[in-house]
Amino acid sequence: SQTIHQWPATLVQPVGSPLSLECTVEGTSNPNLYWYRQAAGRGLQLLFYSVGIGQISSEVPQNLSASRPQDRQFILSSKKLLLSDSGFYLCAWSGTEKGPGELFFGEGSRLTVL
Amino acid sequence: GENVEQHPSTLSVQEGDSAVIKCTYSDSASNYFPWYKQELGKRPQLIIDIRSNVGEKKDQRIAVTLNKTAKHFSLHITETQPEDSAVYFCAAISTGTASKLTFGTGTRLQVTL
């Protein structure tokens, strides 16, 4: 069966510091991968998605970036965090094993920027 | 791109009553409509979905209906229980690559005793 792992689960970072969140998927190959952000009490905002290694599409211009160095690895980064980057970050995957569009989320990373 | 609107933003019902959450979408080519439940501090989890070739789908106490002509779909929860309390998100799939889901803004459901 497929599983998705995301870390770290929580982190507190000062403004201007770098960020790296990592996500890996097991039990599938060539998944579509996504990064979503959820501000406190808000909905899910798609940040990046990837259909393959090295292929990244950005949905919202911001100081974040994403990379996919391996088929089942997706990384969210920032060189300098802003206060507005605080939120709950969710990695997700979809693939051909399930129906098109079915999205499965990681457990999330709660980021607080001070 | 796709735009999904969801109502109400909050909903309070008594245990045993029914709850209905409604969503509308803008892209007539959308063909997949999932519903996610998110408990406090946890990840969203798929609870039910419907594809555009059917009008209704039921799974025990939850059901989803789809009206393609009007471009709206609804989640129905019957005989609500305290454990149904959570935030519910509807979503619709955009056309194009990567099967990008567009989410509604969420409905916070509170089931009171």
Side-chain angles (χ1 to χ4, degrees):
Chain A
S1 63
Q2 300 83 22
T3 58
I4 179 169
H5 302 284
Q6 182 181 344
W7 68 93
T10 60
L11 64 166
V12 180
Q13 296 284 107
V15 170
S17 65
L19 171 74
S20 181
L21 301 178
E22 190 164 342
C23 171
T24 59
V25 180
E26 297 177 358
T28 186
S29 59
N30 197 30
N32 295 326
L33 297 172
Y34 310 82
W35 278 110
Y36 281 86
R37 177 170 61 196
Q38 188 175 32
R42 305 291 295 276
L44 295 158
Q45 179 188 36
L46 179 62
L47 302 176
F48 300 95
Y49 69 94
S50 171
V51 299
I53 296 175
Q55 301 179 59
I56 307 294
S57 295
S58 174
E59 290 293 298
V60 183
Q62 57 217 325
N63 68 318
L64 299 172
S65 63
S67 63
R68 185 170 178 173
Q70 299 180 44
D71 181 44
R72 290 169 289 176
Q73 182 185 27
F74 206 24
I75 298 171
L76 182 69
S77 304
S78 174
K79 293 182 179 179
K80 289 186 177 182
L81 284 168
L82 306 173
L83 286 174
S84 57
D85 291 325
S86 294
F88 192 44
Y89 289 81
L90 290 155
C91 181
W93 75 275
S94 69
T96 55
E97 288 88 353
K98 308 293 183 180
E102 288 193 50
L103 208 61
F104 298 91
F105 289 92
E107 294 184 349
S109 299
R110 189 166 302 282
L111 169 65
T112 303
V113 182
L114 301 176
Chain B
E2 177 65 274
N3 182 48
V4 177
E5 295 188 357
Q6 182 172 348
H7 302 279
S9 57
T10 61
L11 179 60
S12 182
V13 299
Q14 283 196 324
E15 184 179 7
D17 288 349
S18 296
V20 180
I21 303 171
K22 298 181 179 181
C23 289
T24 60
Y25 62 98
S26 61
D27 187 350
S28 57
S30 290
N31 59 4
Y32 174 69
F33 308 92
W35 286 88
Y36 286 82
K37 175 183 180 182
Q38 186 179 28
E39 297 179 355
L40 188 62
K42 297 188 176 181
R43 58 182 151 182
Q45 294 196 308
L46 180 71
I47 55 171
I48 194 168
D49 57 15
I50 191 167
R51 300 189 186 276
S52 59
N53 57 344
V54 298
E56 184 174 0
K57 183 177 179 180
K58 189 174 182 180
D59 182 4
Q60 299 183 343
R61 295 187 297 108
I62 59 173
V64 58
T65 59
L66 171 65
N67 183 328
K68 286 186 62 181
T69 302
K71 290 191 285 188
H72 67 70
F73 56 112
S74 301
L75 177 71
H76 304 253
I77 305 175
T78 58
E79 300 173 22
T80 53
Q81 301 170 3
E83 52 265 38
D84 294 329
S85 297
V87 178
Y88 292 81
F89 292 96
C90 63
I93 189 170
S94 304
T95 55
T97 62
S99 300
K100 293 184 294 177
L101 280 176
T102 300
F103 285 86
T105 50
T107 296
R108 183 172 299 278
L109 173 64
Q110 182 68 44
V111 180
T112 58
L113 298 173

